[in-house]
Amino acid sequence: MAPTLGFFPVVTLVVLSGFPAAVSSRRDVLELGDADFDYLATEHETMLVKFYAPWCGHCKKLAPEFEKAASRLKGSVQLAKVDCTTNSETCSRFGVSGYPTLRIFRYGKDSAPYDGPRTAEGIYETMRRQTGPDSMHLKTKDDLKAFVNNHDASIVGVFSGTDSPRLAEFLKAATLLREQFRFAHSTNLQLAEEHGANSECVLLFRPPRLANAFEDSIVIFRDYLTIGSLRRFIRDHIYGLCPHMTIENRDRLRVRDLLTAYYDLDYHHNIPGSNYWRNRVMKVASKYVRRGLTFSIANKKDFLLELEEDFGMGTSDGGELPFITIRTRLGHKYTMREEFTRDGASLQRFLEDYFAGRLKRYIKSEPIPEKNSGAVKVVVAESFDQVVNDPDKNVLIQFFSPLCPHCKKLEPVYGELAETLRSDPKIIIAKMNALANDVPLGYDVQGFPTIYFAPVGRKDEPVRYQGTRELKDFLRFLKREASHHLVLSGFKDEL
């Protein structure tokens, strides 16, 4: 008897151009919710979860970077996301109070907050280090050689045995710091002997690509080992005299006054060429190691936008020669306008002028307005001290972006506020374009509009306005914070 066709399923496959790739990209990031979070999260050894809201601007900016990182990490680390507008129970359980919030989970258990970079490359590098053990166990010299032959620095603890209390402390430190650094350990003391140590110690191996004649490639830690002392040792020695600054590590380097030489470098394909200019910077830098200034090099292409916006440098400035800048921890900026010479003489002159206080700070600023007769005073970076830091004036300053719809919506209310207080000689209502001007230290501007009040007698402690953007609420705030009784024009309602 011939088989009946009805017993066999008929499958029709329809392929739409471009559709499979889009589905694959989306599936790289797992979507979790209240109903399945615990069930799905426990399936993964290591998982990075993004808690977000669809309307959040920072979440939208992060989304493509998160997707790219997920694609690169596929098969090793799972990336996932939770929409907190529809899954409030899960977000509340993990204490999510702002967006986006990123946390690392291990087999479904909340392990640690993610504090790394939020670029695709940064997420990839950070989470790649989250796979495997906190510290690699090395048994032989070949193991050690293979481990330290890496693009990044390596921290290796060498101990007398598995019961060593120093080993236990080292492993605790590795657990806490594994996101930032590479750790390994050994109970074979012979591994340390050829590096000049004959007892328990920690060896810090700087990246082989950055080896140079001006400093040791290996630094030995022999002090009493605690998590804190090891952290300080790594912080003080990991980068050496002139590290390679990247988008991912720039914030850690910029906690100190920092000189950076920007040029075309590529440590993946051209190590000798990348070190050509670095060696010339280091030759000069070695003369200033105890003067409070640190040094670095960076790939010019990675920082083009920053160089243009923060230092006013054109993309063609200098050609193949390095751009030299100084950025202090207080936010002061300086640029070397003289051409970089191969003998380092121009760099040395620049440093002598810097330490002697002869350099003029670079400030990104619009021109000071010739006419400023409006009720809302226009402030630029060059006039900020004169206007906002006037010791006799209480100043409300709005940092805005010309492209921001919220700023445009605020304009009539802000203007009405200024008109209401126009007859008060002790108060100024002002605004500054934060995209075209440097924002001074002490003012944290991450979004627009951001509003601060700089009161008389407390100019170094500006107060952030966090109320609603209505006239009555602005006036209540100013009445509470101002150093004098407000003089109002035409405002009759009770405050």
Side-chain angles (χ1 to χ4, degrees):
M1 179 184 294
T4 305
L5 289 177
F7 290 125
F8 297 93
V10 177
V11 179
T12 302
L13 177 64
V14 179
V15 179
L16 301 177
S17 177
F19 181 72
V23 172
S24 173
S25 174
R26 285 198 299 272
R27 285 181 178 172
D28 289 342
V29 177
L30 193 63
E31 294 189 38
L32 304 178
D34 290 341
D36 58 10
F37 185 93
D38 292 333
Y39 170 72
L40 293 176
T42 54
E43 294 183 348
H44 300 279
E45 178 183 350
T46 304
M47 185 167 69
L48 177 63
V49 180
K50 174 183 70 173
F51 298 92
Y52 74 102
W55 47 261
C56 163
H58 294 296
C59 301
K60 292 176 182 177
K61 183 179 179 181
L62 174 62
E65 301 294 319
F66 203 71
E67 290 280 355
K68 291 175 189 174
S71 182
R72 292 185 65 183
L73 289 164
K74 192 172 184 178
S76 58
V77 177
Q78 179 65 55
L79 268 60
K81 60 184 180 180
V82 177
D83 181 349
C84 290
T85 63
T86 56
N87 299 282
S88 57
E89 180 184 331
T90 299
C91 297
S92 176
R93 180 153 53 106
F94 295 112
V96 177
S97 58
Y99 308 118
T101 292
L102 279 69
R103 300 196 66 84
I104 299 169
F105 289 78
R106 299 189 188 281
Y107 291 115
K109 292 186 177 181
D110 188 4
S111 174
Y114 172 88
D115 296 321
R118 298 195 175 188
T119 61
E121 181 66 22
I123 294 170
Y124 169 75
E125 289 295 339
T126 301
M127 293 309 299
R128 183 174 59 84
R129 288 194 287 267
Q130 289 289 330
T131 59
D134 297 331
S135 176
M136 185 76 68
H137 185 198
L138 308 179
K139 297 180 180 179
T140 67
K141 291 182 179 180
D142 288 340
D143 290 344
L144 176 62
K145 184 178 180 180
F147 182 76
V148 301
N149 186 25
N150 194 276
H151 186 79
D152 296 319
S154 306
I155 297 99
V156 180
V158 184
F159 305 97
S160 58
T162 56
D163 58 348
S164 168
R166 289 186 177 184
L167 172 58
E169 195 72 5
F170 180 85
L171 293 176
K172 290 178 185 176
T175 300
L176 290 173
L177 301 174
R178 64 174 292 167
E179 282 188 39
Q180 301 176 45
F181 311 112
R182 305 175 66 249
F183 290 91
H185 65 278
S186 177
T187 53
N188 180 0
L189 287 176
Q190 291 183 349
L191 297 189
E193 289 178 0
E194 65 180 69
H195 300 295
N198 54 14
S199 60
E200 292 189 334
C201 63
V202 176
L203 305 172
L204 189 157
F205 293 82
R206 293 183 175 130
R209 63 189 169 92
L210 298 181
N212 61 84
F214 301 97
E215 62 186 349
D216 294 329
S217 295
I218 304 170
V219 187
I220 303 175
F221 177 71
R222 294 187 174 93
D223 295 344
Y224 183 71
L225 199 159
T226 65
I227 294 175
S229 65
L230 182 59
R231 188 199 299 265
R232 287 189 294 273
F233 168 75
I234 295 171
R235 179 197 65 196
D236 293 341
H237 295 92
I238 188 99
Y239 293 118
L241 179 59
C242 187
H244 175 197
M245 184 177 77
T246 64
I247 298 295
E248 284 69 42
N249 69 16
R250 62 180 172 183
D251 290 339
R252 293 198 292 272
L253 290 173
R254 286 175 177 170
V255 298
R256 302 176 182 178
D257 299 347
L258 180 69
L259 179 147
T260 305
Y262 299 89
Y263 57 95
D264 292 330
L265 64 81
D266 184 352
Y267 275 112
H268 291 288
H269 301 100
N270 186 9
I271 293 177
S274 297
N275 281 330
Y276 177 83
W277 290 115
R278 179 173 181 262
N279 288 334
R280 279 148 183 77
V281 172
M282 294 185 78
K283 182 179 180 180
V284 178
S286 62
K287 302 174 183 178
Y288 297 89
V289 290
R290 289 180 173 83
R291 300 287 295 273
L293 183 67
T294 55
F295 296 81
S296 68
I297 56 167
N299 187 354
K300 181 173 63 177
K301 294 178 182 177
D302 292 340
F303 292 90
L304 277 180
L305 183 61
E306 180 177 298
L307 288 170
E308 293 172 19
E309 293 190 351
D310 290 359
F311 290 94
M313 288 185 168
T315 55
S316 61
D317 285 356
E320 69 164 358
L321 301 177
F323 290 158
I324 304 295
T325 71
I326 293 175
R327 185 193 297 266
T328 73
R329 62 187 182 280
L330 296 178
H332 299 164
K333 299 180 294 184
Y334 305 87
T335 61
M336 187 176 99
R337 290 302 180 179
E338 184 181 356
E339 188 174 88
F340 192 101
T341 54
R342 295 174 193 272
D343 62 1
S346 61
L347 177 59
Q348 187 160 342
R349 285 191 291 272
F350 176 67
L351 286 169
E352 289 297 327
D353 287 342
Y354 170 74
F355 287 116
R358 292 190 291 264
L359 293 182
K360 182 181 179 181
R361 284 168 50 195
Y362 175 79
I363 300 176
K364 182 176 72 170
S365 177
E366 294 177 299
I368 296 176
E370 293 182 6
K371 296 182 179 180
N372 205 0
S373 57
V376 177
K377 302 304 177 185
V378 176
V379 175
V380 298
E382 291 282 5
S383 65
F384 194 92
D385 279 342
Q386 178 186 351
V387 178
V388 181
N389 291 333
D390 185 333
D392 300 320
K393 304 287 187 182
N394 291 289
V395 183
L396 188 73
I397 176 73
Q398 176 200 163
F399 297 94
F400 73 96
S401 162
L403 307 175
C404 165
H406 299 293
C407 302
K408 293 176 181 177
K409 183 179 179 180
L410 176 61
E411 276 184 15
V413 175
Y414 205 68
E416 186 180 359
L417 173 66
E419 289 290 351
T420 302
L421 294 167
R422 194 164 192 167
S423 58
D424 190 329
K426 296 183 179 180
I427 197 161
I428 294 175
I429 307 301
K431 65 178 182 179
M432 186 173 91
N433 182 346
L435 296 184
N437 297 275
D438 278 342
V439 176
L441 187 73
Y443 293 84
D444 182 23
V445 178
Q446 301 293 331
F448 304 111
T450 296
I451 302 170
Y452 275 92
F453 181 63
V456 169
R458 291 186 289 130
K459 294 296 181 179
D460 59 342
E461 299 176 357
V463 181
R464 184 164 186 159
Y465 178 77
Q466 295 180 309
T468 59
R469 296 165 190 164
E470 300 293 338
L471 179 60
K472 283 186 178 181
D473 294 306
F474 276 123
L475 289 171
R476 287 193 186 99
F477 171 80
L478 293 173
K479 182 180 180 181
R480 183 178 69 248
E481 298 290 341
S483 61
H484 70 290
H485 182 72
L486 300 181
V487 178
L488 308 180
S489 300
F491 191 86
K492 299 179 181 180
D493 291 353
E494 288 292 325
L495 293 181

